[in-house]
Amino acid sequence: MTKDVIALTPRMPDAWALLAGLYAGGPETGVTAGSEGAVLRLCAPDGRPLVSVEAPLLVQVPGEAERLLGRDVPVPFWWTEVRASGAVPEAERLAGSVCGRLALLLGGSTWPGPAAGTEVVDVRAAVAPDDGQPVVDVLTDSTSVVLADRPVLALTTWLSEVLRGTSESGRALQIVTPPHVRLSAPARATLLQVPNRWVVQDPEQGYYDGLSGAVLRWRDGTFAPVPGADGTAPVAEAFGRTSPSGDRQLVVAFRTTLPAHEDAVLGEGLETAWRALTGSAPAGWGTAEPVNLPWSPRRLTGLARDRAPEPTHLIVTGRPDRPALAWIRVTRTTAGVEQDVTLVLGYGEGEEPPLEAIAPLAEVLVAEHGLTTMLASVRRASRDLTTGPVLQAPPVPVAFTLGARDVRGIGLTHARRPPVEVRPVVLGPASEPALHYPLGDGSDAGALVELHRLAAHLRAGVPGAEA
């Protein structure tokens, strides 16, 4: 199994510290670079990759180490991730020695603590076949398989690169974990996308899908559902072992469209939503987890502009005392610059999601940020925004908002008369109205039926669309 070891240091790992860490393999190991110099690989004398050392990341956002590793590390600190190849037994000790040497020279600590060391690891006796590079553990014609074991499987820079590589090669990504591993909200959203899969290895029941519960078997170079007698895949018993909890999550997914002007600033709509629902601005942003940069819409805008016309994917986080995460996809279209945002906030027992703020938020987003659509939902899920490999109830809709552009396309008269009990509220000027549809308080699953009926009614009003 590929092993992750992370050095958390208050000082930046400079060239001399990295050299001392890489020397943990002794004088006969070699070093190569990949990902345009962002990854160093320590190789055995025969050229076999042993460990990969990612470029150190300066984390300036409080709470990220605690959220992802269960460690309280004061900011700023440097996060240096080392991955050991599962093909060579000695590679795990070597990764621990690389990180242990960095922590010894620079202060700080390693995760996991027991993995740290400083000894020279002899890998000359390695006899495992060369599988190319310590990025994935199994590579077949259809699938890239990664074995992972860490408290929270997050959408790290490494995982983002693996996703990009597997997508470009036409493969699926399947991540195999023990049942105690949980997914961060961005990682969950990514693994929900077909053909990717979260594979849980249960010691008693074998393999199952951590998001659907389907029993899986390895066949023809991939993990696939096992069809039952009726042709459908059975659900693993372990998937149904849920524990009663009063935790909830508020999910606000919305899209905004801004004119493609030089002075357009991205992220301001998200900041407006964050302030409306938490009382403060986001704490940080980045392109992966851990989120490392202090919140700055202008710096965010600069990155998206530099990457245009390619889409930009970003992650935003809040203060440690108020669990909140968002992910944004910025794209350039004929309509302008579109931002697809999903904001998730966690609430424990005795905490009430601020549902009363949803309608006023919709009105501000319509008036000031070019809102196209917004769906607010509540679901029974963990306050810390992670997901375990157990059954979760679907989110229950609270409200849906349709922006002025789509109302105009559908027709105001048609859009104002949906086959649902609650009448829409008009937002914005009478000449360019948007419509806000209240659907409930998140406690009645019947709101899902109402949302489906509303969506079908609105689609029927689009010229040329099928009813």
Side-chain angles (χ1 to χ4, degrees):
M1 174 179 287
T2 304
K3 294 291 186 179
D4 304 338
V5 187
I6 301 168
L8 307 167
T9 61
R11 290 156 45 198
M12 176 182 176
D14 57 19
W16 290 107
L18 287 172
L19 184 62
L22 294 172
Y23 197 70
E28 297 191 22
T29 54
V31 178
T32 62
S35 299
E36 298 181 350
V39 176
L40 296 177
R41 297 191 184 99
L42 192 58
C43 303
D46 62 359
R48 180 179 296 109
L50 301 170
V51 300
S52 61
V53 184
E54 295 189 7
L57 181 69
L58 177 61
V59 179
Q60 304 174 67
V61 181
E64 285 297 275
E66 184 174 4
R67 180 173 72 87
L68 300 178
L69 301 176
R71 288 279 184 88
D72 183 13
V73 181
V75 294
F77 66 90
W78 290 88
W79 175 298
T80 307
E81 190 149 341
V82 179
R83 294 184 55 80
S85 171
V88 181
E90 295 88 348
E92 181 181 351
R93 287 177 50 225
L94 180 57
S97 185
V98 171
C99 286
R101 289 173 175 227
L102 291 178
L104 180 65
L105 290 170
L106 304 170
S109 61
T110 64
W111 178 92
T118 57
E119 72 277 11
V120 174
V121 180
D122 185 0
V123 294
R124 288 176 297 174
V127 295
D130 183 3
D131 59 358
Q133 57 181 346
V135 174
V136 298
D137 292 281
V138 178
L139 188 66
T140 71
D141 291 341
S142 64
T143 307
S144 297
V145 179
V146 172
L147 309 179
D149 186 358
R150 53 202 296 171
V152 177
L153 181 64
L155 192 60
T156 60
T157 300
W158 162 79
L159 182 55
S160 297
E161 285 295 309
V162 172
L163 281 164
R164 182 186 57 79
T166 55
S167 177
E168 290 177 352
S169 66
R171 293 181 172 89
L173 175 65
Q174 297 184 343
I175 300 182
V176 183
T177 75
H180 62 261
V181 174
R182 303 178 67 85
L183 300 184
S184 73
R188 178 182 183 272
T190 299
L191 291 176
L192 275 171
Q193 300 174 15
V194 177
N196 302 325
R197 191 184 295 278
W198 179 21
V199 181
V200 178
Q201 185 178 13
D202 187 271
E204 298 177 358
Q205 299 187 344
Y207 299 97
Y208 69 94
D209 190 300
L211 296 175
S212 72
V215 175
L216 304 173
R217 293 290 183 273
W218 179 260
R219 59 183 181 184
D220 300 326
T222 193
F223 284 100
V226 178
D230 60 354
T232 62
V235 175
E237 179 185 347
F239 190 68
R241 296 173 185 166
T242 58
S243 301
S245 172
D247 286 8
R248 287 176 291 176
Q249 294 177 4
L250 174 61
V251 184
V252 182
F254 62 92
R255 174 180 292 177
T256 63
T257 303
L258 297 176
H261 295 161
E262 284 296 322
D263 58 351
V265 179
L266 306 180
E268 291 185 333
L270 173 59
E271 180 173 336
T272 295
W274 211 290
R275 289 184 182 276
L277 300 174
T278 72
S280 64
W285 72 285
T287 57
E289 297 177 278
V291 176
N292 64 312
L293 299 170
W295 176 246
S296 171
R298 292 201 172 276
R299 290 188 65 186
L300 182 157
T301 301
L303 176 65
R305 185 174 287 122
D306 290 343
R307 292 187 172 185
E310 295 298 317
T312 297
H313 298 264
L314 303 167
I315 300 174
V316 182
T317 190
R319 304 190 316 267
D321 61 334
R322 166 45 58 213
L325 274 171
W327 46 102
I328 311 173
R329 185 175 188 267
V330 180
T331 53
R332 180 73 177 268
T333 69
T334 55
V337 181
E338 293 190 355
Q339 299 171 85
D340 287 285
V341 179
T342 301
L343 170 60
V344 184
L345 305 102
Y347 302 88
E349 293 192 43
E351 295 180 311
E352 290 296 326
L355 301 185
E356 71 285 349
I358 297 298
L361 170 60
E363 188 165 18
V364 174
L365 291 177
V366 165
E368 301 178 8
H369 300 287
L371 181 72
T372 303
T373 59
M374 184 176 80
L375 176 63
S377 307
V378 172
R379 67 182 177 206
R380 293 284 177 182
S382 176
R383 182 182 188 272
D384 66 7
L385 308 182
T386 63
T387 298
V390 294
L391 178 65
Q392 288 192 333
V396 178
V398 171
F400 177 74
T401 307
L402 192 66
R405 186 187 67 182
D406 286 358
V407 169
R408 183 172 61 252
I410 292 170
L412 179 59
T413 301
H414 183 84
R416 292 185 68 173
R417 297 177 180 176
V420 294
E421 294 183 1
V422 180
R423 298 293 94 184
V425 177
V426 176
L427 304 178
S431 58
E432 285 287 318
L435 295 177
H436 178 75
Y437 302 85
L439 297 170
D441 62 1
S443 62
D444 183 3
L448 281 167
V449 177
E450 294 291 278
L451 178 63
H452 291 157
R453 292 173 62 195
L454 172 61
H457 175 79
L458 295 175
R459 281 195 301 269
V462 177
E466 295 182 2

